[in-house]
Amino acid sequence: RDRPTASSSHNPPPTTSKMKLLSALLLLALSPTQTAAFAPANNHAVVKATPSETALQMGPPPSESLLAETYGEGSRKYRRTVYTHNEWVKHRSSDRFIRNISSMINSGVYKSLGREVFATTAIATFLVVFNAITGGYTDFDGVQHEAILTALPQLTLPLTPFTLLSPSLGLLLVFRTNSSYGRWDEARK
């Protein structure tokens, strides 16, 4: 089925025991203690509310309750949701791009997604380095470097599932975007 490539012609096919060892090492590397970035954060606020408090409280939280979740959904009720004229002028100013770029590291979106982005980047970096060590690599000058470890196989995925699913995923995203824009436009009216 698969045609041998120039880089795989000198590598013998991996045996079952080598594949089992590689699978066990990969499972150890991705054990639940290392994948805490994908678990829900345990930093939700404990806000004691009396039964008479049913209205939404705008403004800062009361001093007797501390808000432990600074950038998540729990803090949404304390955020300002309406722009004043001065805030709108500042938002639409010509230097907003530089201000937004400089405040990017303080963004609540980045702070709430930081662990997931770090975990994804770490896994992708590991795979690139592992495949460069086991299968060789081509540098920026076009020079092909041989593999350092030829006993381990490269970690690859077939492209067929991604090729078959990408049009339907694209359509799904377009329909969801259109429906969310329709809901937003209807709410404006």
Side-chain angles (χ1 to χ4, degrees):
R1 282 187 264 163
D2 297 327
R3 286 187 257 153
T5 61
S7 63
S8 66
S9 62
H10 61 82
N11 292 341
T15 62
T16 307
S17 63
K18 287 181 184 177
M19 291 301 289
K20 285 181 182 178
L21 177 66
L22 182 63
S23 298
L25 288 175
L26 190 59
L27 284 175
L28 276 174
L30 298 176
S31 65
T33 59
Q34 299 296 322
T35 57
F38 298 107
N42 193 10
N43 60 352
H44 295 289
V46 178
V47 179
K48 295 181 180 180
T50 60
S52 62
E53 290 185 37
T54 56
L56 181 63
Q57 299 288 328
M58 294 302 290
S63 60
E64 62 268 4
S65 66
L66 294 174
L67 185 64
E69 186 178 0
T70 308
Y71 294 104
E73 288 297 316
S75 67
R76 183 172 295 280
K77 59 186 170 186
Y78 301 115
R79 295 185 200 156
R80 181 179 205 101
T81 58
V82 179
Y83 271 13
T84 63
H85 176 70
N86 292 336
E87 290 168 335
W88 184 251
V89 169
K90 181 181 174 186
H91 173 72
R92 295 296 299 162
S93 70
S94 60
D95 64 340
R96 69 179 183 265
F97 178 74
I98 296 168
R99 188 178 59 246
N100 290 341
I101 292 294
S102 64
S103 67
M104 193 164 39
I105 53 176
N106 296 326
S107 169
V109 174
Y110 286 135
K111 286 184 178 182
S112 63
L113 294 176
R115 286 186 231 145
E116 287 85 355
V117 170
F118 176 75
T120 304
T121 305
I123 291 170
T125 304
F126 168 76
L127 288 175
V128 167
V129 170
F130 183 84
N131 282 341
I133 290 172
T134 60
Y137 65 95
T138 304
D139 62 12
F140 291 122
D141 293 329
V143 177
Q144 176 69 30
H145 297 276
E146 292 296 320
I148 297 171
L149 298 174
T150 58
L152 296 174
Q154 283 188 308
L155 300 175
T156 60
L157 289 174
L159 288 179
T160 306
F162 300 107
T163 306
L164 293 176
L165 292 177
S166 59
S168 58
L169 181 63
L171 286 174
L172 175 72
L173 291 175
V174 166
F175 287 133
R176 287 183 59 100
T177 303
N178 285 342
S179 65
S180 65
Y181 176 74
R183 288 193 303 269
W184 175 80
D185 191 43
E186 187 64 31
R188 270 188 348 149
K189 295 176 184 176

